[in-house]
Structures are given as structure tokens and as C-alpha cells.
Amino acid sequence: MIHPHIADALKVPDLVRLTDGAVLLRFESMKIYSALAAVRHLLDRGAVRPGQTLVDSSSGIYAYALALACHRYGLHCHIVGSTTVDATTLAQLEILGATVERVTPSQNLKLDQELRVRRVREILAERPDVHWMRQYHDEVHYLGYQEVADLVAATVPDRPLTVVGGVGSGASTGGLTEHLRRRDPTVRLVGVQPFGSVTFGSQDHHDPEAIIAGIGSSIPFDNVHHHLYDAVHWMDFTHACSGAVALLREHAVFAGLSTGAAYLAATHEARRHPDRLHLVIGADTGHRYVERVFARHREASDLVSLKPTEVASPEDMTMPWSTMAWNRAAWQRPDTSRSHPHPPADTHPPADPHSTADAHGNPPSKESAA
């Protein structure tokens, strides 16, 4: 088919057989699905109008997706960027017409994320006509993954399915699995986290080489619905790097660091559940990681030699790689420095994915935690 815009072509993933037990869902940039559907929905509802400015914080992938969506639908895009936004992405954003500002450089990912959110709030106070997309909190970002779920359901073999991918904002793994489970409630979801992320309680563990913040978070994300996840893997940079290098070496797939982490987690899950097909989410390509990952390919470990520590609770996790059966447990945020899961709560379904903030991006009160 002839696509009306490059974004419509770039969003479509490829399904690649890796092993008998694993298939890669390979995207050039996965969040294009999320951004296109979210912006189209907001326009259709009248929450935003053509020519208006959309703003959000991003470490790179979502920034590119939002810039494409704004180009597609005739809106302006303003990004408060992480210090990890690479030169290639930055150049594309600027040429696409997006304005980009980056917060003061910080080696502290939590401070970097907090500074970005603070700056977005300042922009909203200065310019009330700007709409905050709130990729971390607004469930409008779940909408686009219905199309991905339809593609997967129509393509993959009739076999029990497990989705494996970086948790990130929660919309990609959560949205895809939520839509798949409407057809088959037995679909499993395995989330991958970097050490240092608050999302599944690893914030007290420091990885000195951590650059995979895009699959974790230093602040709470409302778009992460913990009760969707059956298992969680926490791993450090060196393990994610080994996974990315192995994926290129063994299958000629040049993918990002989060994909490498998901591939490594899937190899373990496939050994434990050989009856299931593991769908590895490849969120982006490896171009952003040439120098810090692929140029160091000689340092990568053989995946056969890598094994996780299996733990019963987040308190027991240990670096460099831990895994835990999450069992679709809800998440409780106590007034302490550490959060704990409690038993599965089927009485807590996801909120309506069609809900969104108001026309100016004003968040619900629970977002005060961010």
C-alpha cells in the first residue's frame, strides 16, 4: 500500500522468528503507534486543535514519535529532553520542526527526570494554550497498541503466548497485553527493568553504567498497571548489552538496549516454559547505542553462561540479574522509601484507556507524586 505519511509506514513492525520458542516483534520506533493514536484521539475529541503546541518530556524515542505525529497532523511539538537524547535524534527533531530544550546535565537519572517534569510545568504556567501529552500518566497512550495486538493475533501461531519487553512508561507492554488478553486471558506478560527503577522496587540498587532508563523510571508512572505482569526481570547494563550483542551476532538483528534485555529475559523464560511462544518486543533499532554498546561487543558475555537469581520479593533482589514471579499483583505505594507488592487483586482492573487529561494537559491529583 502507499502510506499517506512516513509515520504510517515506520510504525509497522516486522515479526522475525528467532527460535522455536521466540519471535521478535521488531519496530523501527515502537512509540509511533502510541503517539499517532493519542494525537488522533485528542484531535477527534477536540481536546487539541490543529496548529496547537504539544509538549512532553522524553529521553528520545517518544520525542521522535511525537514529532512525527505532530508533523503528520499539523501541530507543533516541544520536547523537554533528557541529557541522553543523542545527536542523530536531536537533528531529526529539529528538522521535523520540533523545538527541543534539554535540562541541566546530571549523572543522576532521578534528578534528570524530575528536572524535566518541573520544566514542563513551568512551560504550562507560561503558556496555557500548550497541551501536555503526559506519556507516563495518560492512558490515551494505550490506544495505539490495539492495532499491534490485532497484527500479532492474526500472525503468530496458535500457541500459548508470553509477551516479553521493557516496562518503560507501561503503555507498550501493558497496552499490547491488555488488548491480547481480550482474546486470550492466558497471555503472560514478562516485564524487564533496569536496576535503579522505582517502578518495581529496585531504586536502592545502583548500576554505574545504567543508560537504559527508557525501560525504567526514577519517578512513579501511572501508566504502569502492575497487575498486568506475570513476572519481572531486573538486569544491569552489562547483561542488557550482552543480550543486544547476542541478538545481532546470532540473528543479525540490530536493535536497541531494551530489546537486548528483553531477548536475554526471553531466553530464560523459554527454558522454563518450552510450551509457550515468547514474543520479544524490539522497541527500536540499535543506532543510538553504537558507541556505548556495540563498539564494546568484545566485552559481551555468552548468554549460555548467564543465569538470574530467582527471588521471592523485591527486597531479595540482587545484581546483576534477578527475576521474580509477580503473579499479576497490584502495587501499593506506602509512605516509605520502598514499595511492596501485595497479593493479586483482580478487583482492580485498568482504568478506561479512553480517558485523558483536559485540553491543557492538567493531570489528575494522583500525579502529584511525579
Side-chain angles (χ1 to χ4, degrees):
M1 64 179 297
I2 298 177
H3 298 283
H5 189 274
I6 186 63
D8 299 290
L10 290 178
K11 72 177 186 179
V12 181
D14 299 303
L15 284 157
V16 181
R17 171 72 66 179
L18 300 178
T19 66
D20 288 342
V23 169
L24 177 68
L25 185 64
R26 179 194 176 278
F27 294 85
E28 182 157 338
S29 185
M30 184 177 192
K31 291 191 176 182
I32 296 175
Y33 264 110
S34 177
L36 283 177
V39 171
R40 181 71 262 167
H41 178 74
L42 292 170
L43 285 166
D44 290 345
R45 289 188 57 221
V48 300
R49 64 188 183 280
Q52 194 171 352
T53 296
L54 308 185
V55 65
D56 214 343
S57 158
S58 174
S59 60
I61 298 177
Y62 182 79
Y64 176 59
L66 184 60
L68 283 174
C70 287
H71 191 279
R72 169 82 165 82
Y73 291 118
L75 296 124
H76 300 293
C77 176
H78 184 83
I79 299 296
V80 178
S82 166
T83 55
T84 61
V85 176
D86 62 291
T88 301
T89 300
L90 181 61
Q92 290 183 84
L93 292 175
E94 292 176 345
I95 295 171
L96 283 169
T99 52
V100 183
E101 59 177 294
R102 290 195 276 188
V103 297
T104 303
S106 171
Q107 295 299 314
N108 185 315
L109 292 177
K110 182 175 189 296
L111 178 59
D112 177 79
Q113 216 155 27
E114 288 177 343
L115 287 174
R116 284 187 275 139
V117 172
R118 186 183 309 163
R119 177 55 188 149
V120 170
R121 293 186 184 279
E122 290 173 354
I123 292 170
L124 293 172
E126 297 163 1
R127 300 178 56 189
D129 61 313
V130 169
H131 180 88
W132 185 8
M133 290 300 294
R134 301 173 64 249
Q135 63 151 324
Y136 305 134
H137 306 293
D138 194 333
E139 291 196 18
V140 70
H141 293 91
Y142 271 59
L143 296 176
Y145 297 108
Q146 173 71 63
E147 190 175 343
V148 185
D150 292 342
L151 173 65
V152 170
T155 309
V156 300
D158 186 14
R159 183 175 169 186
L161 186 66
T162 297
V163 176
V164 186
V167 175
S169 68
S172 57
T173 48
L176 175 58
T177 303
E178 193 175 67
H179 291 306
L180 286 171
R181 282 181 184 163
R182 293 195 175 111
R183 293 181 174 87
D184 179 5
T186 70
V187 171
R188 295 184 76 244
L189 176 57
V190 176
V192 182
Q193 284 278 274
F195 286 100
S197 173
V198 305
T199 307
F200 282 88
S202 68
Q203 65 270 14
D204 294 336
H205 297 263
H206 176 61
D207 179 3
E209 291 198 273
I211 59 169
I212 47 177
I215 66 172
S217 172
S218 60
I219 59 176
F221 288 171
D222 293 332
N223 267 346
V224 177
H225 299 317
H226 294 79
H227 62 272
L228 294 175
Y229 295 83
D230 295 279
V232 179
H233 286 253
W234 299 268
M235 64 180 68
D236 70 356
F237 167 81
T238 61
H239 280 61
C241 177
S242 295
V245 171
L247 188 59
L248 180 55
R249 179 177 291 131
E250 297 167 8
H251 303 287
V253 175
F254 185 51
L257 199 55
S258 68
T259 307
Y263 177 56
L264 177 55
T267 61
H268 174 76
E269 293 292 328
R271 287 194 295 267
R272 297 195 62 186
H273 304 280
D275 58 314
R276 302 184 72 88
L277 181 66
H278 294 78
L279 185 72
V280 180
I281 295 180
D284 63 346
T285 66
H287 294 87
R288 296 197 303 157
Y289 302 99
V290 171
E291 293 184 4
R292 297 192 65 179
V293 175
F294 295 101
R296 299 170 56 179
H297 62 90
R298 292 178 183 84
E299 302 173 25
S301 300
D302 184 345
L303 298 197
V304 175
S305 68
L306 303 179
K307 299 289 187 297
T309 299
E310 299 192 19
V311 300
S313 72
E315 290 79 12
D316 301 327
M317 77 174 71
T318 181
M319 294 177 69
W321 181 13
S322 291
T323 184
M324 172 185 166
W326 195 263
N327 298 324
R328 306 191 188 186
W331 180 259
Q332 184 178 3
R333 295 180 191 164
D335 295 326
T336 65
S337 62
R338 186 181 287 279
S339 301
H340 308 275
H342 55 73
D346 293 336
T347 57
H348 295 276
D352 180 2
H354 297 282
S355 65
T356 185
D358 67 20
H360 302 306
N362 296 321
S365 58
K366 66 180 179 179
E367 192 194 272
S368 59

